[in-house]
Amino acid sequence: QVQLVESGGGSVQAGGSLRLSCAAFGYTYSTYYMGMGWFRQAPGKEREGVATINSDGSTKYADSVKGRFTISKDNAKTILYLQMNGLKPEDTAMYYCAASHLTIATMSPTGYNYWGQGTQVTVSS
């Protein structure tokens, strides 16, 4: 089992930055081989993929965040990060990290085995 705990959310003004962290606990050695991702869900909307990282370090981003967000993983510390720059009000949502038994991550939330509890990001105009 792997437990995921997010942190780093908060309230910022448009144009600001935040860095989200997702710490893995439990059988953390396995996270090295896992595809991982960041997702978000705004009120009344479906959960959507924001950024993913495969076990080999390759990444993928939603079009809406390309050039503004960066996903990275510290394998030694088993922490997943999401650096968010140039935040916009439409980025406001609950952000979740997730881990998959597969080495290749998917932008679909159905492909994940473990989820964190979420961290709220609010961007004001």
Side-chain angles (χ1 to χ4, degrees):
Q1 287 288 337
V2 174
Q3 294 81 45
L4 303 174
V5 180
E6 302 98 334
S7 61
S11 297
V12 296
Q13 291 191 328
S17 298
L18 285 173
R19 187 175 82 157
L20 305 183
S21 298
C22 173
F25 300 91
Y27 289 106
T28 56
Y29 71 91
S30 62
T31 59
Y32 182 85
Y33 303 100
M34 288 180 167
M36 300 187 74
W38 285 99
F39 294 79
R40 65 186 181 188
Q41 188 167 18
K45 295 188 176 181
E46 293 187 352
R47 190 168 297 188
E48 64 175 358
V50 175
T52 62
I53 185 166
N54 297 332
S55 60
D56 66 357
S58 55
T59 59
K60 186 183 296 184
Y61 296 91
D63 289 343
S64 59
V65 306
K66 279 181 182 176
R68 300 188 297 123
F69 290 11
T70 302
I71 187 172
S72 61
K73 187 168 69 165
D74 184 329
N75 285 319
K77 297 180 180 179
T78 61
I79 299 177
L80 182 72
Y81 298 102
L82 185 68
Q83 178 66 44
M84 305 186 295
N85 299 327
L87 283 161
K88 304 176 181 180
E90 51 263 44
D91 295 319
T92 294
M94 184 72 79
Y95 282 71
Y96 301 88
C97 71
S100 170
H101 286 156
L102 303 178
T103 58
I104 296 177
T106 172
M107 291 293 274
S108 169
T110 60
Y112 291 82
N113 303 94
Y114 307 102
W115 290 87
Q117 82 290 347
T119 185
Q120 178 68 38
V121 171
T122 303
V123 185
S124 58
S125 57

